[in-house]
């Protein structure tokens, strides 16, 4: 099977042939495809890495070991969890399978949400690239780190008040979590080799994450091809609109948090710093592709609530930077 | 029409047991093939090449293990409506998967350049300005690429500064938004992460009725000097008055980083 797909790829046309141009796709269709493929090729390595780390948490580490070594006070506990990204720099797409692994491995729903929202910003790669792009100029790096930390913990705290956290999850994933919490004692499972269980996790996680990634990439690509960007760029110098426009741009561009600083740097001359900060905070946590990925785990209602709170807090942060800093 | 029980179970099994592995296989094959044929740069920034290829190899091992696994695989039971939706998803994903393997890789076209507005972003860093200043100092102006000219033009639109400097730039043809009849850009995409964030940049060229000789998306090498644009409507005050325009092949690395 593996060979067959390689052969098909090798036999298919390698370049757009001028003489065969009758067969070529219309520009916009071709560009949509190019954009979607580029998001997929960019994200999949991180997804694989996230799934492997998730398997490490579920299969190779003793059950619940991570959860046991964290502080017991819920606020301190979530604060520590929001720093876990420093040890798992897997970018936002890889964080989804990892957060799922954490939940199966004993984290509560609100703790996983905190991790999911903090890790894309509070991780070494994002910090280095943001520093490379902006240095200490205009407090952008500091605002991004503090903002990310604050938002993740506030959202985590809000969801920790939920009377029935399991209802925040899709029924399918809630069932998988129940299975995970008992599997530590399951003798049938213990007889299976760790590698075999890793393979099973790979099969199950890719069956959920890959379709979401494909759909998310297709939506991101379609939005980019059909929504003119000039509409957003015209709003750059207004303190309020620059923030909202950059958040909208972050939502549709769906660039990884590891490198979004380089991308947004090129808009530095057009947009006020508050807009840049809002882009760097909101875009790292929420965008079209991430919503599709997170929908594998959380209900639409939960995602809407997360998006609204993160959006409001990012906008407030951006406005604060524009008006105060 | 909703699926019967047998189809329902089969579809569910396919979606949970095989879909993820197959989609991963498609991505791994596409990535490895692009990497080996030197075309990965059409989609992502070179700084990710090593990581992406390494993860693709690891992914290939996992995919092979996924195919080889013989243990019984339990799947969830779902209602017919949900399974129908899954079925639609499976078909859609198969189409995307097949497209990923058989459609020839290519660069973004000027349709995207127009949509993203040429020179609206993608530049403006100090590095670009420094690089351009250094190259200007050498006096060998034909070494300056689209990127450097664009960053110079952003700093100064004084025609006197450009009067003794001949530019020679390579890029694809995309029409000016304001005066598409008389002005086109020699454009390139700047990529920071992957093609999704590609920002078009370009230098304007004034040539009345250029469409008669060149097509949008043609790759061209334009030689000439900057002067006040004859076009009153054009987006930029300056434009190259071309001495020579050659149609060239698309370069191996069409994007600039």
């Amino acid at each position: 099977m593996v060979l067959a797909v390689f052969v098909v790829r090798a036999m298919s046309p390698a370049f757009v042939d001028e003489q065969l141009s009758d067969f070529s796709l219309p520009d916009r269709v071709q560009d949509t495809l190019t954009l979607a493929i580029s998001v997929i090729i960019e994200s999949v390595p991180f997804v694989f890495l996230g799934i492997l780390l998730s398997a490490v948490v579920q299969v190779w580490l003793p059950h619940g070991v991570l959860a046991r070594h964290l502080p017991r006070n819920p606020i301190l506990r979530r604060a520590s969890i929001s720093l876990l990204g420093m040890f798992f720099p897997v970018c936002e797409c890889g964080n989804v399978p990892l957060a799922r692994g954490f939940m199966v491995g004993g984290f509560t729903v609100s703790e996983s949400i905190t991790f999911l929202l903090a890790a894309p910003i509070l991780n070494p790669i994002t910090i280095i690239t943001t520093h490379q792009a902006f240095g200490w100029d205009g407090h952008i790096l500091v605002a991004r780190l503090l903002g990310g930390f604050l938002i993740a913990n506030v959202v985590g705290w809000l969801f920790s008040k939920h009377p029935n956290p399991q209802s925040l999850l899709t029924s399918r994933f809630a069932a998988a979590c129940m299975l995970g919490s008992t599997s530590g004692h399951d003798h049938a499972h213990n007889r299976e080799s760790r590698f075999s269980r890793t393979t099973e996790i790979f099969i199950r996680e890719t069956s959920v994450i890959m379709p979401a990634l494909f759909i998310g990439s297709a939506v991101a690509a379609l939005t980019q091809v059909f929504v003119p960007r000039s509409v957003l760029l015209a709003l750059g110098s207004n303190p309020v609109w620059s923030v909202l426009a950059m958040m909208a741009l972050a939502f549709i561009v769906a660039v990884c948090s590891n490198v979004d600083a380089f991308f947004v740097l090129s808009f530095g001359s057009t947009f006020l710093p508050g807009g840049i900060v809002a882009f760097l905070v909101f875009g790292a946590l929420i965008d079209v592709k991430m919503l599709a990925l997170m929908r594998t785990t959380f209900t639409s209602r939960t995602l809407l609530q997360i998006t609204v709170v993160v959006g409001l807090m990012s906008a407030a942060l951006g406005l604060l930077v524009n008006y105060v800093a | 029409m909703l699926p019967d029980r047998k189809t329902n179970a089969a579809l569910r099994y396919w979606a949970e047991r095989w879909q993820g592995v197959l989609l991963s296989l498609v991505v791994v094959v596409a990535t490895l093939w692009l990497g080996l044929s030197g075309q990965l740069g059409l989609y992502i920034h070179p700084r990710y090449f090593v990581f992406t290829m390494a993860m693709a190899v690891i992914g290939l091992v996992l995919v092979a293990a996924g195919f080889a696994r013989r243990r019984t695989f339990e799947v969830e039971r779902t209602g017919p409506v949900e399974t129908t939706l899954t079925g639609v998803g499976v078909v859609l994903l198969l189409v995307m998967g097949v497209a990923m393997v058989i459609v020839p890789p290519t660069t973004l076209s000027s349709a995207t350049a127009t949509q993203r507005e040429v020179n609206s972003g993608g530049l403006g860093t100090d590095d670009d300005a420094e690089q351009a200043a250094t190259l200007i100092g050498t006096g060998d102006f034909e070494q300056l690429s689209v990127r450097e000219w664009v960053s110079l033009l952003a700093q100064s639109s004084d025609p006197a500064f450009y009067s003794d400097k001949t530019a020679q730039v390579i890029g694809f043809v995309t029409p000016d938004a304001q005066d598409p009849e008389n002005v086109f850009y020699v454009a390139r995409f700047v990529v920071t992460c992957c093609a999704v964030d590609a920002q078009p940049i370009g230098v304007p060229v004034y040539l009345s009725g250029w469409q008669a000789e060149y097509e949008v998306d043609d790759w061209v090498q334009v030689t000439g000097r900057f002067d006040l644009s004859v076009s009153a409507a054009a987006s930029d005050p300056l434009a190259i008055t071309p001495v020579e325009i050659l149609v060239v092949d698309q370069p191996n690395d069409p994007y600039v980083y």
Side-chain angles (χ1 to χ4, degrees), chain A residues 9 30-31 39 42 172 192 196 200 203-204 211 214 224 227-230 233 253 259 263 266-267, chain B residues 16-17 33 44 47-48 69 71 74 76 96 101 106 109 112 115-117 120 122 193 196-197 199:
Chain A
R9 175 66 273 187
Q30 181 71 57
D31 282 2
V39 181
E42 175 69 32
R172 214 176 142 191
E192 203 180 334
S196 169
E200 167 143 10
I203 296 173
R204 291 203 184 271
F214 270 64
Q224 294 226 7
V227 178
R229 208 176 271 184
S230 47
L233 298 176
V253 173
V259 289
F263 172 71
S266 64
F267 293 94
Chain B
E16 286 188 36
R17 173 65 181 92
W33 180 80
I44 58 173
R47 86 171 84 90
Y48 297 107
R69 193 183 153 87
R71 278 178 171 269
E74 285 172 29
E76 205 191 354
M96 279 180 77
V101 178
T106 173
S109 73
T112 300
Q115 198 271 0
R116 292 184 181 183
E117 235 179 281
S120 62
C193 167
V196 165
D197 60 51
Q199 279 295 330

Side-chain angles (χ1 to χ4, degrees), chain A residues 106-311:
Chain A
F107 274 33
T108 66
V109 178
S110 64
E111 287 166 359
S112 296
I113 293 178
T114 307
F115 170 77
L116 204 52
L117 296 182
I121 292 181
L122 296 168
N123 82 63
I125 299 177
T126 307
I127 296 174
I128 290 169
T129 53
T130 312
H131 181 261
Q132 277 175 352
F134 291 101
W136 300 102
D137 288 356
H139 313 296
I140 285 176
L141 176 61
V142 177
R144 181 177 207 192
L145 297 181
L146 286 180
F149 181 82
L150 200 68
I151 291 175
N153 281 279
V154 168
V155 176
W157 173 74
L158 284 175
F159 281 102
S160 72
K161 301 287 171 206
H162 198 281
N164 179 16
Q166 291 299 313
S167 70
L168 299 168
L169 304 175
T170 55
S171 52
R172 214 176 142 191
F173 183 64
C177 281
M178 295 296 285
L179 210 72
S181 64
T182 55
S183 68
H185 311 286
D186 186 341
H187 292 290
H189 248 309
N190 282 348
R191 276 205 301 277
E192 203 180 334
S193 78
R194 283 177 169 176
F195 187 74
S196 169
R197 279 165 66 196
T198 304
T199 310
E200 167 143 10
I201 289 175
F202 179 76
I203 296 173
R204 291 203 184 271
E205 285 300 302
T206 50
S207 83
V208 179
I209 303 279
M210 294 299 282
L213 181 66
F214 270 64
I215 303 285
S217 309
V219 174
L222 284 170
T223 330
Q224 294 226 7
V225 172
F226 293 100
V227 178
R229 208 176 271 184
S230 47
V231 180
L232 295 175
L233 298 176
L235 306 167
S237 54
N238 178 298
V240 178
W241 285 112
S242 72
V243 170
L244 299 180
M246 283 311 267
M247 284 169 59
L249 184 67
F251 188 78
I252 60 171
V253 173
V255 195
C256 273
S257 65
N258 285 347
V259 289
D260 55 359
F262 292 124
F263 172 71
V264 78
L265 182 62
S266 64
F267 293 94
S269 52
T270 330
F271 282 86
L272 290 171
I276 307 280
V277 169
F279 177 97
L280 289 173
V281 173
F282 183 71
L285 312 183
I286 307 282
D287 58 50
V288 242
K289 179 190 66 189
M290 271 304 275
L291 285 183
L293 286 174
M294 295 203 286
R295 185 64 186 81
T296 60
T297 310
F298 301 101
T299 62
S300 303
R301 192 187 156 87
T302 314
L303 288 184
L304 185 68
Q305 289 165 344
I306 294 179
T307 308
V308 169
V309 179
V310 173

Side-chain angles (χ1 to χ4, degrees), chain A residues 1-2 5 172 199-200 202-211 214, chain B residues 9-27 62-75 86 90 93-94:
Chain A
M1 184 70 200
V2 173
V5 178
R172 214 176 142 191
T199 310
E200 167 143 10
F202 179 76
I203 296 173
R204 291 203 184 271
E205 285 300 302
T206 50
S207 83
V208 179
I209 303 279
M210 294 299 282
F214 270 64
Chain B
L11 202 59
R12 204 69 252 163
Y13 185 77
W14 160 265
E16 286 188 36
R17 173 65 181 92
W18 294 112
Q19 186 164 252
V21 183
L22 261 177
L23 290 177
S24 303
L25 174 64
V26 163
V27 178
L62 287 167
V63 166
F67 277 113
R69 193 183 153 87
R70 288 283 167 267
R71 278 178 171 269
T72 49
F73 193 90
E74 285 172 29
V75 298
T86 308
V90 167
L93 291 166
L94 281 179

